[in-house]
Amino acid sequence: MTVSLEQLRRCHVAVDLGAARTRVYVKGAGLVVDEPSVAAVNTRTGALIAVGAFAEQMTGRTPDYIRVARPVSGGTVVDIEMAQRMLRHLLGEKLRRQLRRKPRLRAAACTPHDSDPLAQRAAMETLVGLGARRVELVDTLIAAAVGCGLPVEQPTATMIMVCGAATTQIAVLSLGAIVTAVRIPVGGEAIDHAVIQHLRHQHELMLPSQSVRPLQLALRGNGLTPQGPASTEIHGRDVATGLARSVLVDTAAVRNAIHTPLTAVLDGIGKVLRECPPDLVADLAERGIMMVGGSALLPGLDQMLRDSTGMPVHIAERPDVCAIQGLGSMLEGRIQPMVLDPLAE
């Protein structure tokens, strides 16, 4: 999966197929697509009804003949045909016509760290089906590090944590490559699931599929810290009667439920540091951890990591688009490799 900057400069389009959102960067035009990775299909006719944000609004609100599909799971394309159809509609006819004019269309795609050959093949097949003659694969960790401005090409350690919807990836980078990394199957969806299970077991309340994020926002301010709001009113459906019901939820108990899946993330950070050379760990004590990804915006998560690791923790300026922006910078040629010339005086 190693690809040179020279090969990336020849690419015309970059795609980040995430479990939550799909982003497309076109060389010379910038970020042109940033939509949820969702498609709504009519199961009777096979017709595509909606994609992106409109399809996401249909989740849990459709009749039985409309299926809301998510063709990407955990950063891996699980339904190639549906992913291609979704991308075609997200790009639009005008942009696809512009891309078809390229004689040999080259594309670049982000893939999770340590993804298996089948996952890499699925990403390549998805873009080949859209007309790409050649597809370059770039590790999400490196693309995100470039996108948030980390000096990845320097001989100093930089630690990055990509908090995705389905997975969390943690790595130490030096000299433009990954020194050690780990991928944990815990992300924003696992936190949502923990909140849903807590309310179901403790309050016998079923939440609508789109109300979990507002519940996390109710913890905003100090978020995961005890200084947040004491209680939050939640609306849902009673498990026993099926009627609409509102309950007053103690946010301290919700914070405890969220802490449980996050312990795996802390274990992953410890594993990366144990496998890292001591000289690089000394650099990290000063530089700390850079958080990117949509789930990095969970209020209080950065403070929890600071308390647990004793290291500085920073959140990127726009953490959700760091990976695609980094890939775009490589396409535009804004990243220069470090030249090693031992004979230079």
Side-chain angles (χ1 to χ4, degrees):
M1 206 164 66
T2 304
V3 58
S4 68
L5 287 173
E6 187 60 38
Q7 290 173 311
L8 286 173
R9 287 194 193 101
R10 298 173 187 167
C11 294
H12 306 97
V13 61
V15 179
D16 180 14
L17 281 167
R21 298 185 77 85
T22 294
R23 299 177 176 93
V24 180
Y25 186 103
V26 175
K27 195 172 185 178
L31 187 63
V32 295
V33 173
D34 185 1
E35 292 281 341
S37 304
V38 188
V41 186
N42 187 326
T43 56
R44 294 174 180 171
T45 63
L48 203 61
I49 298 173
V51 294
F54 187 41
E56 189 177 46
Q57 293 174 6
M58 296 182 180
T59 305
R61 296 183 169 94
T62 60
D64 55 0
Y65 66 90
I66 296 178
R67 179 172 66 94
V68 178
R70 293 182 178 269
V72 185
S73 176
T76 302
V77 179
V78 293
D79 188 340
I80 295 175
E81 182 186 356
M82 186 60 66
Q84 289 175 350
R85 295 175 68 185
M86 180 185 73
L87 270 175
R88 286 194 195 101
H89 282 77
L90 288 176
L91 286 172
E93 183 61 35
K94 182 180 178 182
L95 189 55
R96 278 186 290 140
R97 199 181 303 120
Q98 292 176 3
L99 293 176
R100 277 199 297 265
R101 294 191 189 124
K102 307 289 183 184
R104 286 185 61 83
L105 180 64
R106 288 173 175 247
C110 288
T111 54
H113 174 71
D114 204 19
S115 57
D116 57 81
L118 284 176
Q120 297 177 25
R121 187 69 182 173
M124 294 176 71
E125 289 289 338
T126 301
L127 297 183
V128 167
L130 291 176
R133 301 294 182 89
R134 183 182 175 93
V135 179
E136 309 289 356
L137 299 180
V138 180
D139 198 304
T140 304
L141 289 164
I142 294 179
V146 170
C148 62
L150 291 178
V152 292
E153 73 282 355
Q154 299 299 321
T156 55
T158 53
M159 190 171 189
I160 188 165
M161 186 167 85
V162 180
C163 308
T167 59
T168 299
Q169 303 172 67
I170 307 164
V172 174
L173 310 176
S174 180
L175 286 173
I178 296 173
V179 178
T180 177
V182 66
R183 183 168 58 148
I184 306 158
V186 172
E189 292 176 356
I191 296 172
D192 291 349
H193 184 70
V195 175
I196 290 170
Q197 291 302 313
H198 168 76
L199 293 175
R200 187 183 182 97
H201 293 151
Q202 299 299 323
H203 299 277
E204 296 183 350
L205 192 75
M206 288 182 65
L207 283 182
S209 59
Q210 297 181 21
S211 68
V212 180
R213 288 298 173 184
L215 176 59
Q216 290 185 16
L217 293 177
L219 303 174
R220 66 179 177 271
N222 293 308
L224 298 175
T225 59
Q227 287 76 30
S231 60
T232 305
E233 187 177 12
I234 304 297
H235 307 283
R237 189 179 76 181
D238 191 279
V239 173
T241 64
L243 301 176
R245 186 162 66 93
S246 299
V247 296
L248 203 61
V249 177
D250 180 18
T251 51
V254 175
R255 281 194 294 270
N256 291 334
I258 291 175
H259 271 287
T260 304
L262 293 179
T263 53
V265 176
L266 298 176
D267 292 342
I269 294 175
K271 181 181 178 183
V272 168
L273 292 174
R274 285 193 298 270
E275 295 177 354
C276 192
D279 293 341
L280 295 181
V281 175
D283 291 343
L284 294 175
E286 298 178 6
R287 294 179 174 272
I289 306 170
M290 178 64 77
M291 295 175 60
V292 301
S295 298
L297 297 172
L298 181 65
L301 178 57
D302 55 339
Q303 186 59 46
M304 193 194 88
L305 293 178
R306 285 190 200 99
D307 297 339
S308 303
T309 62
M311 298 167 59
V313 178
H314 314 282
I315 301 178
E317 187 176 348
R318 293 192 63 194
D320 51 340
V321 296
C322 278
I324 192 66
Q325 292 288 7
L327 210 50
S329 297
M330 297 180 194
L331 262 63
E332 302 282 4
R334 293 196 288 263
I335 307 300
Q336 299 297 326
M338 187 175 70
V339 179
L340 299 176
D341 189 1
L343 299 179
E345 292 294 334

